[in-house]
Amino acid sequence: LYRERQGALREALAAHLGIEHEVLGGHSGLHLTVRLPAAYSDREIVEQARKIGMNPGALSSFAVAPRAEDNGLVIGYGNTGAERFAGLVRRLRDVALGLKGSRSGP
């Protein structure tokens, strides 16, 4: 069941995230780590995603002294049906793109 869910999440990220990313992990546990470019603040994405009922984790919050490469999301798949991932990933994309678009500067 969890192997199926992980595969579905990986497929949804590849097909629907629309943002350069790198998927890490998956050898154990019930989450994937998705590294994002620094232009997409993981903490801001998480803050906004939680307002719409989603609960990703900010990868940078796990670092004592976060670096650019520590920017990303920790996404659990243990309690979410595989059929929901495409829609949820599109919602994350919309949150991330909306935040990037609302920033001034580079």
Side-chain angles (χ1 to χ4, degrees), residues 44 97-104:
E44 290 180 20
L97 293 176
L99 287 169
K100 186 172 187 241
S102 69
R103 290 180 165 192
S104 59

Side-chain angles (χ1 to χ4, degrees), residues 34-94:
V34 181
R35 189 173 283 157
L36 298 173
Y40 299 92
S41 168
D42 61 356
R43 292 175 191 238
E44 290 180 20
I45 292 169
V46 166
E47 181 181 333
Q48 293 305 310
R50 288 186 176 160
K51 290 180 181 178
I52 59 171
M54 300 177 76
N55 197 28
L59 180 60
S60 66
S61 69
F62 292 93
V64 173
R67 303 165 297 168
E69 58 267 25
D70 296 323
N71 188 63
L73 301 173
V74 179
I75 303 174
Y77 54 84
N79 64 355
T80 304
E83 71 282 354
R84 297 188 58 212
F85 289 136
L88 292 169
V89 169
R90 285 192 296 268
R91 288 174 70 188
L92 269 178
R93 175 201 60 211
D94 293 347

Side-chain angles (χ1 to χ4, degrees), residues 1-11 77 82-83 85:
L1 174 66
Y2 297 119
R3 187 177 12 246
E4 175 188 318
R5 286 182 182 174
Q6 184 188 118
L9 178 55
R10 286 177 179 275
E11 289 174 13
Y77 54 84
E83 71 282 354
F85 289 136

Side-chain angles (χ1 to χ4, degrees), residues 2-3 6-7 9-10 22-33 75 77:
Y2 297 119
R3 187 177 12 246
Q6 184 188 118
L9 178 55
R10 286 177 179 275
E22 177 185 6
V23 178
L24 307 170
H27 306 291
S28 62
L30 297 174
H31 69 276
L32 290 175
T33 301
I75 303 174
Y77 54 84

